[in-house]
Amino acid sequence: MERRLLSGDEAVAAAARDAGVRLGTGYPGTPSTEILQALDALGGRAQWAPNEKVALEVGLGAAFGGARALVTMKHVGLNVAADPLFTAAYTGVTGGLVVVSADDPGMASSQNEQDNRHYAAAAGLPMLEPADSQEAYDLTVAAFELSERFAIPVILRMTTRVCHSKTLAARRADLPAPPAPAFVRDIPGRVMIPAYARPAHRRLRQKLEALQAFAEETPLNVWVKGDRALGVITSGVTARHVAEAAPSASRLELKTVYPLPLEKIRAFAASVDRCVVVEEGDPIFADAIRAAGIAVESKEAPYRFGELDVQRVRRILARDRSPEPEPPKGRPPALCEACPYHPVYATLRKLDCIVAGDIGCYTLGVLPPYQGIDTCVAMGASLGVGLGLRHVLPEADARRVVSIIGDSTFVHTGLNGLVEMVYNPPPTGHVLVVLDNGTTAMTGQQEHPGTGRTLDHEPTGKVSIEGLARALGVANVDVIDPVADPAGWEKLLKDRLAEPKLSVIIARRPCILAAADIRKYEKAADEKRAALACAGCAGAGEVSDA
């Protein structure tokens, strides 16, 4: 077929569409966000979930129903989805289930640099990793086939460079259509009470033995013959760096990240005089290969951090331990000049608040001139951290503590913290400020349950943040526009900090980058509702005339 320039994310979406995926679901998070957006643009069914755990559970249900499902998230999102992930390895699936984990080496847009290859071994799930867009397409297709062949979820590990770089990729028109969805009852296989989970664990280990044999035989793992003097074991985008840094070396490019084809690796290592494992992130391959008694070299500790590139690979192969040159300093990120959060942070600083922050573009309030956040740990953590501070600090300091969270993050995992606030209130009360800009701004203005619009911006049910707070029994619930009424916002915050009660303040104003689009979506929804109402009236008139 015709080859096109596709990003890795677009290639995964194209493969999902061509492979007959019935449902794509996930939570937006760089660098995975564009996968579901591209799937929607291709005519596939894609939707945002409130968080990654829910997304995986929805995808698992679809796979229990015999359908192919794609679940997407960034690396830290897999932490949120880990609970169902581990048990899904026991239950297995009927339809193909592929879970995309998009890792972020170098932390281009993340709070940590975790290497999610660890999850494959920990959960006992096969993992594939592509090096470019063509491999992203091919391995997505292979992942669905593997999932159905072994009745097990498959993790597709992407990284920032593969997700966002564009390379030529060809789609396939000859992919067979998967079977139509159908539910077959399997209580012992899917209800993980201990009596059923124990044999399920044994079945999982049997599957992993079969997957180990598959890894040894599959042509997915590529052995590139070269000079005997140097052999390199590598994977992902690093394989492309190795090919450029040492074009004459022999290479074993691993696509089956887990289980590893240890016997093939043993044979490869024996075929060269010097064998080096070059991998981005943690020394996972090197440790596993050495544990199997295969003599290989690994990279030095400093190369564990950040992305690898051609120059860094050359340094690894040359055993260069000298300090690396400092990267050029880029322009630091900052809140947009017209961001509605400016008066919020100005007031927090003026009142000398202790601020438990959260994940989103509002995290940039930590930078000058405001330096307005004291903690930022994980999605939804602002409430728990703020409550912990309130519980232990002296009263005068406890009254200064404020938790801030964005609207999308609140729906993601902030709601549980709000329940905790009501269930275990500190003696001084607490103040939660929800920064509601009507979108998931940091990842590119995606929708969420609080916007009342689906992934493709169509109207749907809308979650009311203030309604939830009131329903849970929060004493004070206020909604204010801090830009339109900065003095009112400052007075409101002062008053709420002074009260020993639970307070939720919703600072609501659309993101400046999304405001025009939000107006367009709302106008289209109003027109659609009006058209439906007119059609209903016309239909009623026809019935009465008859």
Side-chain angles (χ1 to χ4, degrees), residues 344-356 370-374 390 393 395-402 489-490 493-494 497:
V344 173
Y345 282 112
T347 298
L348 290 169
R349 182 179 177 86
K350 181 179 178 180
L351 300 182
D352 193 25
C353 292
I354 300 171
V355 180
Y370 303 118
Q371 296 176 302
I373 296 178
D374 294 291
R390 283 261 183 171
L393 289 177
E395 182 175 348
D397 288 335
R399 288 183 177 278
R400 297 163 52 208
V401 177
V402 176
W489 147 248
E490 181 177 334
L493 182 58
K494 275 184 181 178
L497 287 170

Side-chain angles (χ1 to χ4, degrees), residues 110-476:
S110 304
Q111 69 266 40
N112 71 28
E113 200 173 9
Q114 73 187 45
D115 188 330
N116 274 7
R117 290 180 295 168
H118 290 289
Y119 265 114
L125 290 173
M127 176 180 278
L128 307 180
E129 180 177 2
D132 56 28
S133 299
Q134 184 64 67
E135 288 190 2
Y137 181 92
D138 294 338
L139 291 185
T140 300
V141 173
F144 281 110
E145 294 170 347
L146 198 63
S147 177
E148 290 171 345
R149 175 177 169 183
F150 292 95
I152 194 169
V154 175
I155 304 173
L156 181 72
R157 182 190 186 238
M158 305 280 283
T159 58
T160 302
R161 201 59 47 188
V162 176
C163 286
H164 289 166
S165 295
K166 292 198 172 190
T167 60
L168 289 171
R171 296 172 63 179
R172 290 173 56 187
D174 59 342
L175 292 174
F183 180 76
V184 177
R185 179 168 283 113
D186 181 10
I187 292 174
R190 294 190 189 134
V191 182
M192 288 300 101
I193 59 174
Y196 296 154
R198 293 186 191 103
H201 189 191
R202 293 186 177 90
R203 288 195 299 272
L204 170 61
R205 294 301 149 185
Q206 291 168 355
K207 288 180 183 179
L208 288 172
E209 289 179 9
L211 282 160
Q212 180 78 57
F214 167 83
E216 298 288 358
E217 300 167 359
T218 179
L220 294 175
N221 295 314
V222 181
W223 185 328
V224 180
K225 302 288 186 180
D227 290 349
R228 180 180 176 85
L230 175 64
V232 181
I233 299 170
T234 186
S235 71
V237 70
T238 307
R240 299 293 174 261
H241 302 327
V242 170
E244 185 173 342
S248 62
S250 296
R251 300 194 308 278
L252 180 57
E253 298 183 8
L254 299 173
K255 313 303 175 187
T256 58
V257 172
Y258 186 82
L260 284 174
L262 289 172
E263 295 311 311
K264 179 173 282 190
I265 291 170
R266 194 184 307 276
F268 176 81
S271 73
V272 296
D273 298 328
R274 178 190 176 208
C275 189
V276 184
V277 177
V278 180
E279 56 188 318
E280 207 166 52
D282 296 340
I284 294 173
F285 291 163
D287 289 350
I289 292 167
R290 286 168 166 169
I294 304 169
V296 294
E297 292 181 33
S298 185
K299 61 188 180 184
E300 296 290 329
Y303 299 106
R304 185 172 185 160
F305 309 102
E307 291 185 293
L308 296 183
D309 56 23
V310 174
Q311 185 56 37
R312 297 189 86 196
V313 169
R314 288 193 179 114
R315 288 171 59 93
I316 291 169
L317 296 177
R319 302 189 180 100
D320 189 344
R321 297 176 175 84
S322 63
E324 294 187 78
E326 286 288 329
K329 292 189 181 298
R331 180 178 177 270
L335 295 173
C336 297
E337 290 186 8
C339 177
Y341 302 150
H342 283 291
V344 173
Y345 282 112
T347 298
L348 290 169
R349 182 179 177 86
K350 181 179 178 180
L351 300 182
D352 193 25
C353 292
I354 300 171
V355 180
D358 225 298
I359 304 294
C361 56
Y362 51 90
T363 315
L364 296 173
V366 72
L367 301 175
Y370 303 118
Q371 296 176 302
I373 296 178
D374 294 291
T375 71
C376 179
V377 181
M379 294 280 281
S382 59
L383 263 157
V385 171
L387 290 167
L389 287 166
R390 283 261 183 171
H391 282 305
V392 302
L393 289 177
E395 182 175 348
D397 288 335
R399 288 183 177 278
R400 297 163 52 208
V401 177
V402 176
S403 293
I404 61 170
I405 193 169
D407 49 327
S408 182
T409 309
F410 174 82
V411 175
H412 180 277
T413 35
L415 183 54
N416 289 337
L418 186 60
V419 173
E420 166 69 10
M421 186 171 92
V422 172
Y423 185 55
N424 292 308
T428 60
H430 190 47
V431 176
L432 168 66
V433 178
V434 181
L435 304 172
D436 184 359
N437 62 3
T439 188
T440 311
M442 179 63 101
T443 52
Q445 292 89 53
Q446 287 76 35
E447 307 291 0
H448 63 76
T451 69
R453 293 180 295 275
T454 59
L455 182 146
D456 57 359
H457 313 298
E458 289 295 308
T460 186
K462 181 176 182 177
V463 171
S464 168
I465 297 172
E466 56 267 39
L468 283 170
R470 292 184 181 117
L472 285 170
V474 175
N476 299 318

Side-chain angles (χ1 to χ4, degrees), residues 476-497:
N476 299 318
V477 180
D478 302 283
V479 180
I480 191 168
D481 183 338
V483 175
D485 187 9
W489 147 248
E490 181 177 334
K491 181 180 184 304
L492 177 61
L493 182 58
K494 275 184 181 178
D495 291 345
R496 295 298 178 246
L497 287 170

